[in-house]
Amino acid sequence: MRRRRLIVLVIALVAVVGAGAFAVAASNRVKGSASQTAADYFDAWGKGDVSRMARLVYQPPADFAVRHHRLTEDLHIESIRLTPGRLKSTGEGAAEVPFAGVRQLADLGAWPFDSTLRLGVRDRAWKVLWAPETLHPLLKDGGTLELDEVDASVTELVTSEGERIPNDSYADAYLNQLKPEFGSSSRGWELVSKAPGQPARQLLTRLPKADVERTTLSRPVQAAAARALDGVDDSAMVVIRPSTGEILALADRLKNNYSAVRDVFPPGSVFKTITAAALLGSGLDPAAEVRCPGTYTIPFHAPFKNDGEVDRGFISFTDAYAYSCNTTFVEQATTRLTADQLRETADEWGFSRQIATGIGGTCGAMQETDDPDMFGLDAIGQGQVVATPLCMAALAAAVQSGTWRSPRLLSDAEVRRIDGIPHKDMRMDEGIVTSLRDMMAAVVDHGTASDMGLPAGVAGKTGTAEVPDEELSHAWFIGYRDDLAFCVFVRHGGSGRQAAVPIAARFFSGL
């Protein structure tokens, strides 16, 4: 009997001890698991249930919900898709889950990111150890994400072939001026990351779809003109298709806001092309022998000199043009022409005209004068004569085609809409044009542009224009080859032969 009571007592004691041990074990048991907590967090995040997310986080910051809602609102987030990776243990009571996410932004579309969800045992339960970089890695250490509106043109100007304008084309000033003519500015969006002490970084951009407008620029011709000007400051090159007047290239590196289509400069000896036209019109034959002394003095007036005072004796009028004899042109102009006749010839070849290109423009001007000395200067492109590089390219184009055409950068309809009705085409005297072609060919064959690497078929005229109170002259070279007419201008570049002709040679090599 006593033995039975003892056994019962032992059993009772064992039960009490066992119950106590179970209670201790139960009190130390970790609630949940890392995988389940991660799964619950991702599920709540995907559904936008920020309250349930917060309950799974160990000591969430007071602005936990605000951070999530603000990011959604500020970035215009429509949805988020999360793809967890494999859970990895990182120590006793610690784990992490790498994951990929894709936020769908209303203004920018899908925005993927990668991050890591870290977990740990806290207060006998698996909890998410949240930090700002959990939301996005770029939010670490005070980083911010911002969605900004940006101004964007709704017009894209392209070449005549429908291709993008070449990079570093030196035509941007003209193209930017044109864009507002085809539509007002619109707004786009960009997503920007900012971090303390670092420059802002653009993550995503979306601009409104641009309307495509074709210019007359030719992609290969524009590229060749721009590359020919590389390394030559204060320079410009205009290329025109003589048969249509289309501007095929407009490369402008002129400094101090000077423009190749609107600003005028003394043209120097390239203006002798117009003086030659006037003299040919007066009856002077291209083969006629004329004097080219080193110095010529208008009777009872000022002396004029050739470059280096070179005396060539008697030569043909064609060679006087080819060698750019100042003395010949002053003597012939002042004895055969009046100042009014020369000015009228200049006007026939485009001077005194506004040019409707689509970006505006002007040609040149020659003032009235009754001073023989000023008339002599005007005859060789000095004095009061001024012209734009655009005007001189149009002059070369008129010699090549026999018709002066108003240069244009856009279609005829767009030019009329923006700039008004262009000047009508002017057919030039066929005999004069034929003679000028031969004279310009002589310049390249054996004159001032000879042996300079120009390809066969190029005809042209060099020009060196002295500038009052300046040490260096302006350098010019105009010409044509087939259905390409051009003007090269280097402001304060020196001589036309040394500064402008090499640019033309590089241009043709680059085509």
Side-chain angles (χ1 to χ4, degrees), residues 180-232:
E181 296 290 346
F182 295 97
S184 59
S185 178
S186 186
R187 290 199 176 273
W189 296 92
E190 64 177 2
L191 181 62
V192 178
S193 167
K194 296 181 180 180
Q198 298 182 23
R201 182 156 62 100
Q202 190 181 76
L203 305 176
L204 291 176
T205 302
R206 174 171 290 178
L207 302 179
K209 186 176 180 180
D211 293 331
V212 175
E213 296 290 342
R214 294 195 184 209
T215 67
T216 61
L217 296 178
S218 163
R219 193 181 198 288
V221 179
Q222 180 68 42
R227 300 292 69 79
L229 295 186
D230 282 345
V232 185

Side-chain angles (χ1 to χ4, degrees), residues 234-383:
D234 227 358
S235 59
M237 185 170 191
V238 182
V239 184
I240 294 174
R241 178 173 282 135
S243 60
T244 63
E246 296 169 297
I247 298 174
L248 303 181
L250 183 52
D252 190 340
R253 299 195 67 195
L254 295 177
K255 293 181 176 180
N256 304 322
N257 294 320
Y258 281 106
S259 162
V261 304
R262 288 183 289 274
D263 289 313
V264 293
F265 309 90
S269 293
V270 293
F271 186 78
K272 288 174 183 171
T273 306
I274 290 176
T275 306
L279 289 170
L280 292 167
S282 75
L284 182 61
D285 191 277
E289 282 198 343
V290 292
R291 294 197 318 139
C292 179
T295 301
Y296 171 75
T297 301
I298 299 174
F300 310 110
H301 287 278
F304 290 82
K305 299 178 181 180
N306 287 332
D307 184 27
E309 296 189 56
V310 174
D311 187 339
R312 296 186 181 275
F314 283 89
I315 57 176
S316 70
F317 181 46
T318 293
D319 281 349
Y321 179 87
Y323 296 125
S324 203
C325 291
N326 289 336
T327 56
T328 301
F329 275 80
V330 172
E331 180 179 15
Q332 295 300 320
T334 56
T335 57
R336 288 176 170 269
L337 303 172
T338 66
D340 286 345
Q341 287 174 318
L342 181 58
R343 184 169 49 80
E344 288 167 4
T345 302
D347 289 348
E348 289 176 13
W349 289 85
F351 275 53
S352 301
R353 294 175 191 163
Q354 292 297 312
I355 301 178
T357 61
I359 52 171
T362 191
C363 191
M366 178 182 169
Q367 304 299 321
E368 294 184 10
T369 182
D370 57 5
D371 179 358
D373 293 333
M374 184 59 68
F375 179 29
L377 288 169
D378 287 343
I380 58 174
Q382 298 286 168

Side-chain angles (χ1 to χ4, degrees), residues 54-116:
R55 290 195 294 272
L56 295 167
V57 173
Y58 176 70
Q59 295 182 353
D63 61 350
F64 180 83
V66 171
R67 284 175 181 258
H68 285 75
H69 291 312
R70 182 181 296 156
L71 189 70
T72 298
E73 293 169 2
D74 290 351
L75 304 190
H76 302 175
I77 298 171
E78 295 179 325
S79 63
I80 186 169
R81 184 175 71 252
L82 302 163
T83 304
R86 180 176 298 179
L87 183 142
K88 297 185 293 185
S89 174
T90 56
E92 187 176 353
E96 64 181 25
V97 181
F99 67 94
V102 179
R103 290 182 170 94
Q104 189 69 28
L105 277 56
D107 305 296
L108 294 171
W111 176 39
F113 70 102
D114 295 300
S115 191
T116 301

